[in-house]
Structures are given as structure tokens and as C-alpha cells.
Amino acid sequence: MLSKKSEGEGQILTFFSMASAVGKTVLAVNFAAALAERGFRVCLADLDLQFGDVCNYLALAPEQTLYDYSEANEATRNAAAFVTPTAFGFDVLAAPRELDEAFIMNAEIVSSAVSQLQEAYDFVILDTTTGFSAINLSLLELTDVLYLPCVVDFIPSIKNLKCGIDTLHKLQFDWQRVRLILNRSKAETQISVKDVEALLGRPFQYFIGNDYRGVTLSIKEGKPVVLTDKDSRLADEISNVISSELGEQEESGGFSKWFSGLWK
């Protein structure tokens, strides 16, 4: 269990995956909305630098992005001045608009921005790109809780997840700070969840059901499910994860008190 950080230093929650199309951005957006609704200061940083979708999912047209931050005076720049507010109580640090802007990003720039955001927010949520890039490795060093969403309806995704978990062990990442999330858990598949857990050597802490229609509508409207469709099963399941992490209810095999301990 992690010890409490000093006052004024926000917690970094990183959404990371070893495969695409696992629902990482949807979960990150809804985590941000659910935490903001509970009164926390939240910033969601879109660090899928080349193909980030956070602004698309929230119908945002940011005036400034991470690229603008990188171009500002290094001695005086502050990442909190480059965020875009949303209508849902949290801010977004947008990914670069153009591919050529994304190419010049490096681990030092991105880590510096994230560290500065920690000073202004209670939670900084990172929506990262797929894989163990140099930037992602630097972000893992800053991460307090690592969320690994995955799906089990595609064998290559399971293989990649196993490879990723093995890599985290080689990196000696503290497994007490990792949460395995089975997304679209009710989708039709020939693959047994128990078989996947046996292969991974670890159980899933959280299960999020399959709601393709609800997610599609949410993206089309640019609004998080947890705020606009609170009666849906998807919103309820995501909110339950947040409640468990905050210690608002007893769930998930002993991890439920972790967040509440940070704020005592």
C-alpha cells in the first residue's frame, strides 16, 4: 500500500494497455467525470499523442495543447495554463493537433507537464498510448495507480496483456498499484474468463459490462455516460469502481480503502 503524498501533490492515475480498442479512453473520460462530480479537482491528460480521442469524445475544440506547452518558455511555463475546461467539472490537457507536432514530444516534456499538473489538481488522469514507449516508461515512474483495461474476445489481445504484465514484473512495478479491468465483460466470446485469469496468474479486480449502444451515443453527444445516463448498467458499473477505489463501499478484494487512506 502506498503512503500518503504531501499536501498539494495530486495522485496520478494512468490508463494503459497493450492492445487497441479495449475502451481505455472511454474509461478515462468517465473516471474523470465521476471524480469531478464528487468534488475533486481533476485533469485528464490525453497522452495518446498521435491519435488521441479525448477531445473527440468530449466535443472539445481546445485553443491550446501539449504542443503549445512544449513551445512555451521552459523557465516560466506551467501546464495548468494550457488546459481546456469541460462542462463536466474537469479539465483536459489536449494532445497535439498534428502528427508532426506529436513527433517532437519527448519523455522530458511530457513528464514535466504531468508533474506540474500534480500541483494544481487532486487527480491527474493519464490516457496513454499503447505499448512501452520511452514516454510511457517515464509516466509509469510517476504513476500512483495503473489501470489496465482489456477484453478477452480476441486471443492476440490476451497475449499482449500477458506480455505486458510480464514486462511490468521485469520493471519491478509494484503490483499493489495495478488494477486489471475486464471491459466488455458480458460480450459473447468462446474464451473463459477463468482461463484468462489462470494464464495471467492474476484475477481481474473489476468488470465492466458491454454496452456498445450506450458508449456510441455518449461519444456522439460528447458527454460522459456516468453523468448523462446514470441509470444505465455501464454508468452504474463505472461508478461502483470509483466508489470502491474511494472507499465508499467494500469491494474488489481489499483495494477499496486505498484512495480513502490517501486523504485522511
Side-chain angles (χ1 to χ4, degrees):
M1 181 176 294
L2 299 179
S3 60
K4 181 180 177 181
K5 289 190 172 184
S6 60
E7 296 296 333
E9 188 175 2
Q11 306 303 303
I12 297 180
L13 316 181
T14 300
F15 283 81
F16 178 63
S17 70
M18 278 59 70
S20 58
V22 298
K24 176 172 54 64
T25 300
V26 169
L27 291 176
V29 165
N30 280 278
F31 263 58
L35 286 169
E37 186 182 34
R38 286 162 167 79
F40 293 106
R41 298 169 300 162
V42 180
C43 183
L44 171 57
D46 190 349
L47 300 182
D48 187 344
L49 301 178
Q50 294 185 30
F51 302 106
D53 272 326
V54 167
C55 289
N56 291 333
Y57 283 21
L58 293 169
L60 293 179
E63 294 184 1
Q64 300 186 102
T65 72
L66 181 61
Y67 173 75
D68 298 296
Y69 167 83
S70 72
E71 291 291 289
N73 187 315
E74 184 175 354
T76 59
R77 67 189 180 193
N78 189 319
F82 292 84
V83 301
T84 301
T86 72
F88 311 108
F90 63 93
D91 297 332
V92 169
L93 179 61
R97 299 180 186 87
E98 306 293 338
L99 283 179
D100 59 339
E101 295 176 349
F103 287 145
I104 71 169
M105 296 295 105
N106 59 46
E108 182 179 358
I109 291 172
V110 175
S111 295
S112 173
V114 171
S115 295
Q116 289 177 358
L117 291 174
Q118 281 186 282
E119 299 175 4
Y121 296 92
D122 299 319
F123 292 103
V124 181
I125 299 177
L126 311 181
D127 183 21
T128 65
T129 190
T130 300
F132 289 92
S133 64
I135 290 176
N136 280 351
L137 288 173
S138 71
L139 295 175
L140 288 176
E141 294 181 1
L142 299 174
T143 295
D144 292 304
V145 183
L146 181 65
Y147 294 94
L148 300 179
C150 64
V151 295
V152 298
D153 55 354
F154 192 46
I155 290 178
S157 296
I158 300 171
K159 182 266 294 180
N160 289 354
L161 178 61
K162 171 62 174 172
C163 180
I165 289 175
D166 291 344
T167 301
L168 288 171
H169 282 300
K170 292 177 182 178
L171 293 172
Q172 298 184 328
F173 194 87
D174 181 4
W175 196 259
Q176 294 298 314
R177 296 188 281 140
V178 179
R179 310 289 189 266
L180 280 179
I181 301 177
L182 179 56
N183 198 21
R184 302 201 291 271
S185 62
K186 302 300 182 181
E188 293 184 7
T189 176
Q190 300 295 318
I191 304 172
S192 164
V193 173
K194 289 185 177 180
D195 289 342
V196 174
E197 291 179 328
L199 174 66
L200 299 178
R202 299 188 177 278
F204 292 101
Q205 279 100 339
Y206 296 115
F207 297 83
I208 305 294
N210 186 41
D211 187 358
Y212 178 81
R213 181 178 178 278
V215 169
T216 300
L217 182 62
S218 168
I219 296 172
K220 181 179 179 180
E221 295 181 346
K223 300 175 181 178
V225 171
V226 294
L227 300 182
T228 60
D229 193 10
K230 293 185 177 183
D231 293 331
S232 70
R233 185 177 67 182
L234 177 62
D236 186 57
E237 289 173 340
I238 293 174
S239 293
N240 284 343
V241 173
I242 295 292
S243 294
S244 179
E245 291 285 82
L246 288 171
E248 296 172 351
Q249 59 189 32
E250 293 294 327
E251 289 186 1
S252 292
F255 288 118
S256 58
K257 295 182 180 179
W258 190 87
F259 270 63
S260 59
L262 294 174
W263 301 98
K264 289 181 180 178

